[in-house]
C-alpha cells in the first residue's frame, strides 16, 4: 500500500509532513535508523544512495550521498540532537549543494491501531525563503516517492517478520 502523504505549511518557517504506514512503529524506526536499509528507500528511485556515515545518537553525525545515472553526486548531512527509540528523532538537515541552509527536523512516530504508524516530521527553516526554496525544489514529489519506497520496504520487512 502506498504511503498516504500530507504536507502542511504551519508558519513562514515551518513545514509539517505526515505519512501513514501499514507497519508497526518498531519496523519504521528500524528502517530509518539502520544504515543497511537507508539505500533501499531514501530518495527518488532515479538515484542510488550511499550511507557515508550514520551514528544514531545525540551528537552523532550522518551523511548520505545520492548518485544519478550520469555519476553526479549530491550530498546531504546533519547531526542527531535527540534520539528516543522508537518514538522520536531530532536532528539537522543540510543539502551540500546549498551550504548554510540548515533545517531542524523533528520526526515523531505514532502507533496507530491495527499495527500502523503515523510518521510526522516538523521541519523548521532559518528563514521563510529557505522553506520556500525547499518547497520549490520539488521536495514534495521527491518525498512522496521516498515514502512510497519506504512503504514497499516495510511491507517486505513485515512479510519476513
Amino acid at each position: 500500500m502506498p504511503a498516504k502523504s500530507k504536507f502542511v505549511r504551519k508558519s513562514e518557517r515551518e513545514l509539517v509532513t505526515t505519512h501513514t504506514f501499514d507497519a508497526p512503529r518498531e519496523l519504521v524506526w528500524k528502517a530509518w535508523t539502520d544504515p543497511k536499509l537507508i539505500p533501499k528507500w531514501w530518495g527518488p528511485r532515479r538515484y542510488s544512495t550511499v550511507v557515508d556515515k550514520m551514528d544514531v545518537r545525540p551528537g552523532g553525525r550522518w551523511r548520505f550521498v545520492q548518485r544519478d545515472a550520469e555519476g553526479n553526486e549530491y550530498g546531504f548531512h546533519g547531526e542527531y540532537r535527540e534520539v528516543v527509540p522508537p518514538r522520536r528523532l531530532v536532528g539537522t538537515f543540510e543539502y551540500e549543494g546549498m551550504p548554510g541552509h540548515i533545517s531542524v527536523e523533528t520526526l515523531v512516530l505514532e502507533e496507530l491501531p491495527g499495527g500502523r504508524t503515523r510518521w510526522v516530521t516538523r521541519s523548521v527553516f532559518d528563514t521563510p525563503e529557505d522553506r520556500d526554496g525547499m518547497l520549490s525544489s520539488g521536495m514534495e514529489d521527491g518525498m512522496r516517492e521516498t515514502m512510497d519506497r519506504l512503504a514497499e520496504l516495510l511491507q517486505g520487512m513485515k512479510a519476513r517478520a
Side-chain angles (χ1 to χ4, degrees):
M1 161 194 270
K4 297 175 182 92
S5 304
K6 182 177 177 185
F7 301 86
V8 177
R9 293 158 179 87
K10 295 296 265 188
S11 74
E12 290 181 339
R13 296 179 35 232
E14 186 178 7
L15 178 67
V16 175
T17 54
T18 305
H19 313 277
T20 302
F21 296 102
D22 185 19
R25 180 169 66 175
E26 289 75 18
L27 281 185
V28 179
W29 178 266
K30 180 174 176 55
W32 185 232
T33 59
D34 183 337
K36 292 182 188 112
L37 296 176
I38 296 293
K40 297 175 188 254
W41 67 270
W42 202 84
R45 293 181 202 283
R46 68 184 176 275
Y47 301 114
S48 63
T49 300
V50 174
V51 175
D52 179 46
K53 66 178 101 172
M54 190 172 178
D55 183 10
V56 185
R57 64 175 176 82
R61 299 201 170 269
W62 66 272
R63 182 172 186 265
F64 304 160
V65 178
Q66 292 184 321
R67 290 188 181 99
D68 66 18
E70 291 78 37
N72 299 306
E73 292 189 349
Y74 309 94
F76 304 84
H77 69 269
E79 179 180 334
Y80 297 103
R81 293 183 173 175
E82 182 182 341
V83 179
V84 184
R87 296 187 321 244
R88 182 177 164 91
L89 192 63
V90 180
T92 60
F93 176 93
E94 182 175 10
Y95 168 52
E96 293 172 2
M98 296 194 67
H101 299 275
I102 301 168
S103 60
V104 176
E105 310 281 320
T106 301
L107 168 67
V108 175
L109 299 177
E110 302 171 1
E111 284 186 303
L112 299 175
R116 295 178 310 134
T117 302
R118 180 178 298 123
W119 160 307
V120 180
T121 302
R122 179 178 176 252
S123 304
V124 179
F125 300 87
D126 285 336
T127 67
E129 293 79 18
D130 283 355
R131 187 205 69 175
D132 293 346
M134 180 68 81
L135 287 169
S136 69
S137 73
M139 172 274 228
E140 288 180 74
D141 289 338
M143 180 66 90
R144 280 189 183 94
E145 186 174 352
T146 296
M147 294 296 100
D148 286 346
R149 292 182 69 199
L150 178 54
E152 293 164 11
L153 174 68
L154 291 166
Q155 289 309 302
M157 290 171 68
K158 271 180 45 176
R160 287 187 296 277

